[in-house]
Amino acid sequence: MAESLNPFEETDYIESEIQNTSTEEPVISEVHVTPESTEVSWDAIATKLLKDNYILTALELHTELVESGRELPRLRDYFSNPGNFERTKEDTPSPTLPRTSSVQTFDSLDFARYSDDGERQVDERVAVLEFELRKAQETIKSLRATLTREAENEIVSPDTEKHLAGGICVEDSIKPLEQRALNFLVNEYLLLNDNKITSVTFSEENEEQDFEDWDDVGLNIPRPPDLLHLFRDYGNHIMPTKETQEVACEADLEDEDFQERQQDWQLIREQMESKICELEDQVQMIAQENDVLSQQVSILKMSPLKNTQLNHSTPVGHKVEPTKTSPSTHNNQPMSDGHDDSQPITDPNVEDVSGQSDSMNLDASAITQNHVGEDTDGDVHSGGDNCAAYSDRVDGVGQQSEDGDASLTENVIDRKMSPAFRKALQDLAFHVSRDNRIVAEMSKMSEGEGVVSMLGRCLPHIVPNVLLAKREELIPLILCTAMLHSDSKERDRLLNILFNLIKKPDDEQRQIILTGCIAFAQHVGPTRLETELLPQCWEQISHKYVERRLLVAEACGALASYLSHEIRSSLLMSMLTQMLRDDKDDDVREAVIKSLGLLTGFICDTDKFAQGSELLKIGLRDSSEKVQQATLHVFLPSFAAWAYELGRLEHELLHSVLRDLEEIVKGALTIQKTTNSTTLPLDESRFLILLKELTELLPFQFVSVLESGPFIKHLESSVEGVEDIDMSRFPMSNCPLSDLSVILGGKQELSTLVHLYSEHLSQEWFEPWEQLNWVVNNLLARILEVTMGVGLSMQKVVNALCKYVFRLCRTFGKTFTDKKVKPKFEELVILPEEQLDHQVNLGHTAITTCVVPVYAVGVLTSFSTEEDRKQLEEFLTQVLCTLAFCQAPLDSLKATFLELSSSEDNHELLLTVLWCGVVHTSAPVRATSAILFELLIQNLNDTFISTRVVPALVTLANDPEISVRISTIPSLGAIIEHVSIREVLDRVYMQLQTFFDDPVYREQHVVHVELIRTMAHVGPNTEPKFRDEFILPRLAAMAMANNNVTNETKKMDIAMQLFEAYSAMSCCFINDQLIQEAMLPGLRCLRQDMAVIAPDHEEVVASMVREYESKMEGARPGDRNLSFAQSPGAQLGSAADDMKSRVMSRIKDTTSKANISNIFTRRK
C-alpha cells in the first residue's frame, strides 16, 4: 500500500543507493547499539525507512532530528542528493495522490554561500523556486483536506443501517474518523469535569491517538463544540420522518453530476502534478550543481595530510579558471552553511573523492588555487577579527574562526611557513589599527548581523559629520532604524539623536521630523510610542531654543491620535498645560494652542472638560494676538464640538461666556457710578475677545438647534429631493472648523436639516423645543442687556455687537429673525407717545443706547429685502425726529449712521432719510439733519456730494433759524477736508466767508466758537492756499477781538478754541511772512488772554511764541525778504540740511564710525 501511494517511484535507484551506503563506515549517532542494550539506533531506523521506500516518513524523521540538533548524516546526504528524486519517462504519477514537494533538498536553501560570484542570480532563482514549492505544498495540503472531508461524508448504504424506534438509525460500525473525534471530545469532557484519573485511563486505552492535538483527528477538519453543547443542541433539531418504499432500479450509483465533478477534479489534479514536476525538475537541476560544489568544498576542507594527492601546478596567488563540470561554474554558485570548523568531517563521501577521475582532481585543484589566490590578494587583515573575516571568506561557511592564523594556515596548504612569520608579514604589508572602529564594523559584516544593528551603531558617528543644512536627509534613516532595532537602549539613543539632529529646526525641517514621528507611531503602536518617543519630547519641553520647544509643542498635537486615552488625558495634557502657562515665546504658545485643539478632538475623559475650559480661557486672555487667533480658530471649535457632544454647549460653555460679558459690563457701570465719570471704563479688549468667542460658537449653536428639533423624525424621508442649499445665505466662516457643512459632515446633510428647519418655522404656529427657546429667551435676552449697558463711546465695541447680531440673524434665517429677533428689539425701541418725552429726557430708553445701531445694522440689514429697507428707513426717520424733538443726545443715531455709511448700498437710503429731515417743518429736526451730514461726507462719492449733500447744506445754511445755520458749519468743514472738486470747494469757501464777514453773525458767540472749532479741525488737512489766505488771518483777527471781550465766559470759550486751533496749525509749514503777519500777532493776543483766564496754558502759548520768534531771528536780515519769496519746497530742503548737520554733529562723539556716511541713504 505504501508503495502504491509513494509519489517517488525510484525503487531501483534507492535500493542501489542503500546497498552502496551499507559498505560505508558506521556513523556515530545519538542512539547506539551496545551489548548491554537491545535498542535499535536511529541510523538503522533511517536505513529501514529508505529501504522500504517510506520517503515521507523518513523526511519527517529527518526534519524532527534536525530541529532537535541530532541530525543523521545518512538522511542528510540522501535528501541533499537530487539524483535520488530524478524521474524517468517510464515513471507514472500516482493515480490517487500527486507528487509532493515537501521533499525539497535542504542544502539547496542555503547553498548561496559557496561562491562570491553570481550570488545574486542564484539567490533570486532559489527564492522563486522556494515560493513555487510552498504554493505546491499548500495545494497538496488542500487536496489532502478534501480527501479527508470526503472520507467523512462517505455515503452509507441503507443495508448497513439499523432502524431503531423513533425513526433514528445508527450504523453497524463507526468510522475511524468519527471514533477519533468522539474519543477526543470524551477525553476533553473528562478533563473539564476534573475526572483526571478516568481521563488518564481512557488515554492509555487509546494509545494510538494524541489527545493533545486536534489535528491528530483529521487534517483541516474544524473542531466541533464540546459534548455539553452538542447535547443541548440536539433537542433543537427535528428529525424528519422518512417515507420508504421498495423500488427496482439499476445498480448504478454514480450520477452525471458526480462524474462531471470527478472529471474536473482529475483535470485539476493533473495540472497540479505537471506543475509540481516542472518545479521539481528545476530544483533537481540546481541541486545537482549544489552537489558538485558540496563535494568540491569538502575537498577544500580536508586536512593537508588527507589531500597530498591533490598537486597544485600553479603558484599561490595565481588565478586559474576552473574546468566546467556542471551547467554553471563555481563562481556563480551559492554555498550553504556547512559544519563548524571545530567538528570532524564524518561524511564518508569525502574519502572517496580521491578515487574520482583526473578531470575531477584537476577541477578541485584549480578551484583550490583560485580561492587561495583571490583571498590572498584581495583581503586586508589585521589579526583577530579581521583574520576571522578572512577565514570566513575563504571557507565560505559564514562562521568566524577564533584563530585567524590557524585558518590561514589551513587554507594555504602547500607552504611550510610558520604562523608567526605569516602574521608578521601580514601586519607589515597590510597594517590596520586594531582600535579602528570602521574596520571593526566591517569585520562584523561576515557574522550575518543585520543592517539595522549596524546602522544603530554607525549613525551616532555619522550624524556629527553631516552638514547642518543637510541633516534632515538622515531623518528617514534614523527613524527606520529606531523602528526596527531590537535593543531598547539603542532605540532611545537614536530617537534622542532625532530630536537633537538640528540645532534650530525651521518650519520645513520640523514638518519633516513630525512626519517621521507619525510614521514611527503608526509602525510601533501606542505602547512603544509612550515609552520611547514621549520621553524625548518631555526632555525638550524647557529647551533654551525656541525652535526645539516648537517641535515639542507640535509633536504633542501630531501624536495625539496615536496614543492611548489615558496618556492623552494625563501626560499629554500636562505637557501642553505646562508649556502654555510657562513658556514666554508667542510662537510656542500658539503651537501649544493648536496642539490642544488636536488633543481635544481625540480626548475621551469627560473629567478633563473643566481643565480644557480653563486652558481655553488662558488662551483667550493671552497678551499675544496670534495666540488669541489660534485659540479662536483651532482650540475653540474643537472644544465646542466636544461640548456639544457631551451636551454642555449651551448651559456650560455659552453660559460661561455670557456670564463673563455681563460681569465686565456690570463692573464698568459700578466704577462709572462711583467716579461720576461721563464715559464707561469698559475693558474693551477683553469685551471684544469674548464677543469673538460668541461669534465662533454660533455655528455649533445652530447645529445644536438643527439636530434637536422635532422635525428630525422626518429626516430619513426628506433626504432625497432636497436641493443643495445656497451657502451664501450663511455668513462666511472665519476658519474651516466653523463651517456648517464641515461640522455636519457634508453639504447634503446641511441642506436637508435647514430645509426641514425652515419648513417647521414657516408654519403659523410651530412647536418650539429646548435649544431654540434657550437661544431666544437666554442668549438673545442677555445680549440685549449687555448691549444696553456698554454705551456708545467705543466705536469698536458697537461695531462688534452689530456684527455679532448680524451673523446670528443670517445663521438662523429670515423666518427666525422676523418671528423671534425683531419682536425682542421692537419691545425696547418703540415706546408709547405718552411716555416718549419723559423717558427719553431721563435717558431710560433704549433709543439713546447701543440698541439703536445694533437693531438697525445687525437686524434690519441682515437680509436687505425691500421690506427690510423700508422698515429701516422708517426706523431711522422716527429716531431722528424723536431725538430732535426731545433734545436728547445724538450719540446712538451718529453711531448708527457711521456703521451704515461704511457700506455703499446704504448711502442712498441715508441721504433719503436726511433729506426728509432737511425739508421737515421742525427746526430741531433740520438742525439734527445738518449735523448728521458730517458723518456721511467721508464715505460718499463725489457725485452724491455735489448733487445731494452740497445743495442740502446750502439750503440749511440759509435757513431762517440761526441754530440750523450754525449746525451746517461742521459739515461744510468736512467737505473742505475730504473733497477736492474745485466747484464744490468754491461754494463752501463762499459760504464760510459769509459766516465770518456777515454782520448778522458778528455778535453771535456760538457761531464764532463753531467756526474756530471747525477751522482747527480742517486746517492741517486743507489745501495750503486756503489755510494761508483764509484761516490764519481770520484766526489772528478773532484773537485780537477777543482781547476786548469783557464777558469772561465768552472770552474763555473763544480763547480755548483758539488755543486748540493754534496748536493744530503749529504742525503745518508756515512761511516766515505769515508767521510775522498772522501767527505771532494772534499768539501774542492769545497769551494775554491765557494769562488772565487760564494761567496753566499760558506757558504753552509763550513757548510757541518764543519758538516762532527764534525762527524769525535766526534768518539773516539780508536774506529775510528772499526767504519770503522762497518756495515751500526749497525751505523744506534747507530744513532737512540743517537737521542732517545737527545729527552728524552729535554722531561725531560716538566711538564707532563705521558706515556713518550711509545712515541717510534710503533703505531698500
Side-chain angles (χ1 to χ4, degrees), residues 723-768:
E723 298 181 359
D724 288 344
I725 192 171
D726 184 11
M727 296 301 295
S728 62
R729 64 147 286 183
F730 298 108
M732 184 176 296
S733 59
N734 296 323
C735 67
L737 296 178
S738 299
D739 191 289
L740 284 168
S741 60
V742 174
I743 298 172
L744 283 170
K747 192 174 180 181
Q748 181 64 38
E749 291 80 357
L750 176 63
S751 302
T752 305
L753 286 173
V754 171
H755 174 73
L756 294 174
Y757 163 81
S758 300
E759 283 188 346
H760 186 76
L761 263 64
S762 298
Q763 303 175 51
E764 185 176 355
W765 180 91
F766 61 86
E767 178 187 356

Short mmCIF file of all heavy atoms in Angstrom, two decimals, residues 723-768:
data_model
loop_
_atom_site.label_atom_id
_atom_site.label_comp_id
_atom_site.label_asym_id
_atom_site.label_seq_id
_atom_site.Cartn_x
_atom_site.Cartn_y
_atom_site.Cartn_z
N GLU A 723 -32.75 70.11 -2.71
CA GLU A 723 -31.68 70.77 -3.46
C GLU A 723 -30.61 71.29 -2.51
O GLU A 723 -30.88 71.59 -1.34
CB GLU A 723 -32.24 71.92 -4.30
CG GLU A 723 -33.24 71.47 -5.35
CD GLU A 723 -33.74 72.66 -6.16
OE1 GLU A 723 -33.32 73.79 -5.87
OE2 GLU A 723 -34.54 72.43 -7.09
N ASP A 724 -29.39 71.37 -3.03
CA ASP A 724 -28.29 71.89 -2.22
C ASP A 724 -28.56 73.34 -1.85
O ASP A 724 -28.98 74.16 -2.69
CB ASP A 724 -26.97 71.79 -2.99
CG ASP A 724 -26.51 70.35 -3.09
OD1 ASP A 724 -27.03 69.51 -2.33
OD2 ASP A 724 -25.63 70.06 -3.93
N ILE A 725 -28.32 73.66 -0.63
CA ILE A 725 -28.59 75.00 -0.14
C ILE A 725 -27.55 75.97 -0.65
O ILE A 725 -26.39 75.61 -0.90
CB ILE A 725 -28.61 74.99 1.41
CG1 ILE A 725 -29.19 76.29 1.95
CG2 ILE A 725 -27.22 74.74 1.97
CD1 ILE A 725 -29.43 76.25 3.45
N ASP A 726 -27.96 77.20 -0.83
CA ASP A 726 -27.04 78.26 -1.23
C ASP A 726 -26.23 78.68 -0.01
O ASP A 726 -26.77 79.26 0.95
CB ASP A 726 -27.82 79.45 -1.81
CG ASP A 726 -26.90 80.54 -2.33
OD1 ASP A 726 -25.68 80.28 -2.43
OD2 ASP A 726 -27.38 81.65 -2.63
N MET A 727 -24.94 78.39 -0.03
CA MET A 727 -24.11 78.66 1.14
C MET A 727 -23.91 80.15 1.38
O MET A 727 -23.47 80.55 2.46
CB MET A 727 -22.75 77.98 0.98
CG MET A 727 -22.80 76.47 0.93
SD MET A 727 -23.53 75.73 2.40
CE MET A 727 -22.33 76.20 3.64
N SER A 728 -24.24 80.99 0.40
CA SER A 728 -24.08 82.43 0.59
C SER A 728 -25.10 83.00 1.58
O SER A 728 -24.94 84.13 2.05
CB SER A 728 -24.20 83.16 -0.75
OG SER A 728 -25.49 82.95 -1.30
N ARG A 729 -26.14 82.24 1.91
CA ARG A 729 -27.12 82.73 2.88
C ARG A 729 -26.54 82.74 4.29
O ARG A 729 -27.05 83.42 5.17
CB ARG A 729 -28.39 81.91 2.85
CG ARG A 729 -28.24 80.46 3.26
CD ARG A 729 -29.47 79.93 3.98
NE ARG A 729 -29.58 80.43 5.31
CZ ARG A 729 -30.53 80.09 6.17
NH1 ARG A 729 -31.44 79.22 5.79
NH2 ARG A 729 -30.58 80.58 7.38
N PHE A 730 -25.47 81.94 4.49
CA PHE A 730 -24.80 81.93 5.78
C PHE A 730 -23.61 82.88 5.74
O PHE A 730 -22.98 83.07 4.69
CB PHE A 730 -24.30 80.53 6.13
CG PHE A 730 -25.40 79.52 6.25
CD1 PHE A 730 -25.58 78.54 5.28
CD2 PHE A 730 -26.26 79.54 7.33
CE1 PHE A 730 -26.59 77.61 5.39
CE2 PHE A 730 -27.28 78.60 7.45
CZ PHE A 730 -27.45 77.65 6.47
N PRO A 731 -23.28 83.50 6.85
CA PRO A 731 -22.09 84.35 6.88
C PRO A 731 -20.84 83.53 6.67
O PRO A 731 -20.77 82.35 7.06
CB PRO A 731 -22.13 84.98 8.28
CG PRO A 731 -22.95 84.05 9.09
CD PRO A 731 -23.97 83.45 8.16
N MET A 732 -19.86 84.13 6.03
CA MET A 732 -18.61 83.42 5.75
C MET A 732 -17.91 83.08 7.06
O MET A 732 -17.74 83.93 7.93
CB MET A 732 -17.70 84.28 4.86
CG MET A 732 -16.43 83.57 4.44
SD MET A 732 -15.44 84.58 3.31
CE MET A 732 -16.56 84.67 1.92
N SER A 733 -17.50 81.82 7.19
CA SER A 733 -16.84 81.39 8.42
C SER A 733 -15.43 81.93 8.49
O SER A 733 -14.75 82.11 7.46
CB SER A 733 -16.81 79.85 8.49
OG SER A 733 -16.12 79.32 7.38
N ASN A 734 -14.97 82.20 9.70
CA ASN A 734 -13.63 82.74 9.90
C ASN A 734 -12.56 81.67 9.78
O ASN A 734 -11.39 82.00 9.62
CB ASN A 734 -13.54 83.41 11.27
CG ASN A 734 -14.45 84.61 11.39
OD1 ASN A 734 -14.62 85.36 10.43
ND2 ASN A 734 -15.07 84.79 12.55
N CYS A 735 -12.93 80.40 9.90
CA CYS A 735 -11.96 79.31 9.78
C CYS A 735 -12.70 78.07 9.29
O CYS A 735 -13.93 77.99 9.42
CB CYS A 735 -11.27 79.04 11.12
SG CYS A 735 -12.36 78.38 12.39
N PRO A 736 -12.00 77.11 8.70
CA PRO A 736 -12.69 75.91 8.19
C PRO A 736 -13.43 75.12 9.26
O PRO A 736 -14.44 74.47 8.97
CB PRO A 736 -11.53 75.09 7.60
CG PRO A 736 -10.45 76.07 7.31
CD PRO A 736 -10.57 77.14 8.36
N LEU A 737 -12.96 75.16 10.50
CA LEU A 737 -13.60 74.39 11.56
C LEU A 737 -14.96 74.96 11.95
O LEU A 737 -15.74 74.28 12.62
CB LEU A 737 -12.69 74.32 12.79
CG LEU A 737 -11.37 73.59 12.61
CD1 LEU A 737 -10.56 73.65 13.88
CD2 LEU A 737 -11.60 72.15 12.19
N SER A 738 -15.23 76.20 11.59
CA SER A 738 -16.52 76.81 11.91
C SER A 738 -17.50 76.75 10.75
O SER A 738 -18.58 77.33 10.83
CB SER A 738 -16.31 78.28 12.33
OG SER A 738 -15.50 78.36 13.47
N ASP A 739 -17.14 76.07 9.69
CA ASP A 739 -18.03 75.93 8.54
C ASP A 739 -19.13 74.93 8.87
O ASP A 739 -18.87 73.83 9.36
CB ASP A 739 -17.24 75.46 7.32
CG ASP A 739 -18.05 75.56 6.05
OD1 ASP A 739 -18.99 74.76 5.89
OD2 ASP A 739 -17.76 76.44 5.22
N LEU A 740 -20.37 75.31 8.61
CA LEU A 740 -21.50 74.47 8.97
C LEU A 740 -21.47 73.13 8.24
O LEU A 740 -21.78 72.08 8.84
CB LEU A 740 -22.81 75.20 8.67
CG LEU A 740 -23.21 76.29 9.67
CD1 LEU A 740 -24.35 77.12 9.11
CD2 LEU A 740 -23.59 75.68 11.00
N SER A 741 -21.11 73.13 6.97
CA SER A 741 -21.07 71.87 6.23
C SER A 741 -19.98 70.95 6.76
O SER A 741 -20.13 69.72 6.75
CB SER A 741 -20.84 72.15 4.74
OG SER A 741 -19.61 72.84 4.55
N VAL A 742 -18.90 71.52 7.26
CA VAL A 742 -17.83 70.69 7.85
C VAL A 742 -18.29 70.11 9.17
O VAL A 742 -18.04 68.94 9.48
CB VAL A 742 -16.55 71.54 8.02
CG1 VAL A 742 -15.48 70.75 8.77
CG2 VAL A 742 -16.03 71.99 6.68
N ILE A 743 -18.97 70.90 9.97
CA ILE A 743 -19.42 70.42 11.28
C ILE A 743 -20.43 69.29 11.13
O ILE A 743 -20.39 68.28 11.85
CB ILE A 743 -20.03 71.59 12.09
CG1 ILE A 743 -18.96 72.66 12.34
CG2 ILE A 743 -20.60 71.10 13.40
CD1 ILE A 743 -19.51 73.92 12.96
N LEU A 744 -21.35 69.44 10.16
CA LEU A 744 -22.41 68.44 9.98
C LEU A 744 -21.97 67.26 9.13
O LEU A 744 -22.68 66.26 9.05
CB LEU A 744 -23.65 69.09 9.36
CG LEU A 744 -24.50 69.92 10.33
CD1 LEU A 744 -25.54 70.71 9.56
CD2 LEU A 744 -25.16 69.04 11.37
N GLY A 745 -20.84 67.36 8.46
CA GLY A 745 -20.34 66.24 7.69
C GLY A 745 -20.61 66.31 6.20
O GLY A 745 -20.28 65.37 5.48
N GLY A 746 -21.19 67.37 5.70
CA GLY A 746 -21.40 67.48 4.26
C GLY A 746 -22.49 68.49 3.93
O GLY A 746 -23.34 68.83 4.76
N LYS A 747 -22.45 68.95 2.70
CA LYS A 747 -23.42 69.95 2.26
C LYS A 747 -24.81 69.36 2.14
O LYS A 747 -25.81 70.05 2.38
CB LYS A 747 -22.97 70.52 0.92
CG LYS A 747 -23.72 71.76 0.47
CD LYS A 747 -23.13 72.35 -0.80
CE LYS A 747 -23.86 73.58 -1.24
NZ LYS A 747 -23.31 74.15 -2.49
N GLN A 748 -24.91 68.07 1.79
CA GLN A 748 -26.21 67.43 1.66
C GLN A 748 -26.92 67.34 3.01
O GLN A 748 -28.12 67.63 3.12
CB GLN A 748 -26.05 66.03 1.06
CG GLN A 748 -27.35 65.28 0.86
CD GLN A 748 -28.27 65.97 -0.14
OE1 GLN A 748 -27.80 66.51 -1.13
NE2 GLN A 748 -29.56 65.96 0.12
N GLU A 749 -26.18 66.96 4.05
CA GLU A 749 -26.77 66.90 5.39
C GLU A 749 -27.25 68.27 5.85
O GLU A 749 -28.34 68.41 6.42
CB GLU A 749 -25.76 66.33 6.38
CG GLU A 749 -25.45 64.86 6.19
CD GLU A 749 -24.45 64.62 5.08
OE1 GLU A 749 -24.05 65.61 4.43
OE2 GLU A 749 -24.09 63.45 4.83
N LEU A 750 -26.44 69.29 5.58
CA LEU A 750 -26.82 70.65 5.97
C LEU A 750 -28.07 71.09 5.22
O LEU A 750 -28.98 71.69 5.82
CB LEU A 750 -25.65 71.61 5.69
CG LEU A 750 -25.92 73.09 5.95
CD1 LEU A 750 -26.23 73.35 7.41
CD2 LEU A 750 -24.72 73.93 5.49
N SER A 751 -28.12 70.82 3.93
CA SER A 751 -29.27 71.25 3.13
C SER A 751 -30.56 70.60 3.63
O SER A 751 -31.60 71.26 3.74
CB SER A 751 -29.04 70.88 1.66
OG SER A 751 -27.86 71.50 1.17
N THR A 752 -30.48 69.31 3.95
CA THR A 752 -31.69 68.61 4.42
C THR A 752 -32.18 69.17 5.75
O THR A 752 -33.38 69.45 5.93
CB THR A 752 -31.38 67.11 4.56
OG1 THR A 752 -30.88 66.61 3.31
CG2 THR A 752 -32.63 66.35 4.94
N LEU A 753 -31.27 69.36 6.69
CA LEU A 753 -31.66 69.86 8.00
C LEU A 753 -32.20 71.29 7.92
O LEU A 753 -33.20 71.63 8.57
CB LEU A 753 -30.48 69.79 8.96
CG LEU A 753 -30.10 68.38 9.45
CD1 LEU A 753 -28.81 68.43 10.25
CD2 LEU A 753 -31.22 67.79 10.29
N VAL A 754 -31.55 72.14 7.14
CA VAL A 754 -32.01 73.52 7.03
C VAL A 754 -33.37 73.57 6.34
O VAL A 754 -34.24 74.39 6.70
CB VAL A 754 -30.97 74.36 6.26
CG1 VAL A 754 -31.52 75.75 5.94
CG2 VAL A 754 -29.70 74.49 7.07
N HIS A 755 -33.58 72.70 5.37
CA HIS A 755 -34.88 72.65 4.70
C HIS A 755 -35.99 72.28 5.69
O HIS A 755 -37.05 72.93 5.75
CB HIS A 755 -34.82 71.64 3.55
CG HIS A 755 -36.13 71.41 2.88
ND1 HIS A 755 -36.72 72.35 2.05
CD2 HIS A 755 -36.99 70.35 2.92
CE1 HIS A 755 -37.88 71.88 1.61
NE2 HIS A 755 -38.06 70.67 2.12
N LEU A 756 -35.77 71.26 6.49
CA LEU A 756 -36.76 70.87 7.49
C LEU A 756 -36.96 71.95 8.55
O LEU A 756 -38.08 72.23 8.98
CB LEU A 756 -36.32 69.56 8.16
CG LEU A 756 -36.29 68.32 7.26
CD1 LEU A 756 -35.68 67.14 8.01
CD2 LEU A 756 -37.68 67.97 6.76
N TYR A 757 -35.86 72.59 8.95
CA TYR A 757 -35.93 73.66 9.95
C TYR A 757 -36.75 74.85 9.44
O TYR A 757 -37.60 75.40 10.15
CB TYR A 757 -34.50 74.05 10.31
CG TYR A 757 -34.35 75.38 11.01
CD1 TYR A 757 -34.58 75.50 12.38
CD2 TYR A 757 -33.94 76.51 10.31
CE1 TYR A 757 -34.41 76.71 13.02
CE2 TYR A 757 -33.77 77.72 10.93
CZ TYR A 757 -34.01 77.82 12.30
OH TYR A 757 -33.84 79.03 12.92
N SER A 758 -36.49 75.24 8.19
CA SER A 758 -37.20 76.38 7.63
C SER A 758 -38.69 76.08 7.46
O SER A 758 -39.54 76.95 7.72
CB SER A 758 -36.59 76.77 6.28
OG SER A 758 -35.23 77.10 6.43
N GLU A 759 -39.01 74.86 7.01
CA GLU A 759 -40.41 74.50 6.86
C GLU A 759 -41.13 74.50 8.21
O GLU A 759 -42.28 74.93 8.32
CB GLU A 759 -40.52 73.11 6.22
CG GLU A 759 -40.27 73.10 4.72
CD GLU A 759 -40.59 71.75 4.12
OE1 GLU A 759 -40.73 70.78 4.91
OE2 GLU A 759 -40.68 71.65 2.89
N HIS A 760 -40.43 74.03 9.23
CA HIS A 760 -41.05 73.97 10.55
C HIS A 760 -41.33 75.38 11.09
O HIS A 760 -42.41 75.64 11.64
CB HIS A 760 -40.13 73.21 11.50
CG HIS A 760 -40.73 72.96 12.85
ND1 HIS A 760 -41.70 72.00 13.08
CD2 HIS A 760 -40.51 73.56 14.05
CE1 HIS A 760 -42.03 72.01 14.34
NE2 HIS A 760 -41.35 72.95 14.97
N LEU A 761 -40.38 76.30 10.93
CA LEU A 761 -40.55 77.65 11.45
C LEU A 761 -41.50 78.48 10.60
O LEU A 761 -42.03 79.50 11.08
CB LEU A 761 -39.20 78.36 11.53
CG LEU A 761 -38.52 78.34 12.92
CD1 LEU A 761 -38.18 76.92 13.32
CD2 LEU A 761 -37.26 79.20 12.91
N SER A 762 -41.70 78.07 9.35
CA SER A 762 -42.58 78.85 8.48
C SER A 762 -44.06 78.64 8.79
O SER A 762 -44.91 79.37 8.26
CB SER A 762 -42.32 78.47 7.01
OG SER A 762 -40.98 78.78 6.66
N GLN A 763 -44.38 77.67 9.62
CA GLN A 763 -45.77 77.46 9.98
C GLN A 763 -46.29 78.64 10.82
O GLN A 763 -45.53 79.33 11.49
CB GLN A 763 -45.90 76.16 10.78
CG GLN A 763 -45.36 74.92 10.05
CD GLN A 763 -45.40 73.69 10.92
OE1 GLN A 763 -46.44 73.37 11.51
NE2 GLN A 763 -44.28 72.99 11.03
N GLU A 764 -47.60 78.82 10.75
CA GLU A 764 -48.19 79.91 11.53
C GLU A 764 -47.96 79.70 13.02
O GLU A 764 -47.72 80.64 13.77
CB GLU A 764 -49.68 80.00 11.22
CG GLU A 764 -50.36 81.19 11.90
CD GLU A 764 -51.81 81.31 11.49
OE1 GLU A 764 -52.25 80.53 10.61
OE2 GLU A 764 -52.52 82.17 12.05
N TRP A 765 -48.09 78.47 13.45
CA TRP A 765 -47.71 78.12 14.81
C TRP A 765 -46.86 76.86 14.74
O TRP A 765 -47.21 75.90 14.07
CB TRP A 765 -48.94 77.85 15.67
CG TRP A 765 -48.55 77.49 17.10
CD1 TRP A 765 -48.39 78.34 18.14
CD2 TRP A 765 -48.26 76.17 17.60
NE1 TRP A 765 -48.01 77.65 19.26
CE2 TRP A 765 -47.92 76.32 18.96
CE3 TRP A 765 -48.25 74.90 17.03
CZ2 TRP A 765 -47.58 75.23 19.76
CZ3 TRP A 765 -47.91 73.82 17.83
CH2 TRP A 765 -47.58 73.99 19.20
N PHE A 766 -45.71 76.89 15.37
CA PHE A 766 -44.84 75.72 15.34
C PHE A 766 -44.48 75.33 16.77
O PHE A 766 -44.49 76.14 17.69
CB PHE A 766 -43.57 75.99 14.53
CG PHE A 766 -42.72 77.10 15.05
CD1 PHE A 766 -41.76 76.87 16.04
CD2 PHE A 766 -42.87 78.40 14.57
CE1 PHE A 766 -40.98 77.89 16.52
CE2 PHE A 766 -42.10 79.43 15.07
CZ PHE A 766 -41.14 79.18 16.04
N GLU A 767 -44.15 74.06 16.90
CA GLU A 767 -43.79 73.52 18.21
C GLU A 767 -42.36 73.92 18.56
O GLU A 767 -41.42 73.56 17.85
CB GLU A 767 -43.91 71.99 18.18
CG GLU A 767 -43.50 71.33 19.48
CD GLU A 767 -43.47 69.82 19.36
OE1 GLU A 767 -43.84 69.30 18.28
OE2 GLU A 767 -43.06 69.14 20.33
N PRO A 768 -42.16 74.68 19.62
CA PRO A 768 -40.79 75.06 20.00
C PRO A 768 -40.08 73.89 20.68
O PRO A 768 -40.70 72.89 21.05
CB PRO A 768 -41.01 76.23 20.96
CG PRO A 768 -42.34 75.97 21.56
CD PRO A 768 -43.17 75.27 20.52
#
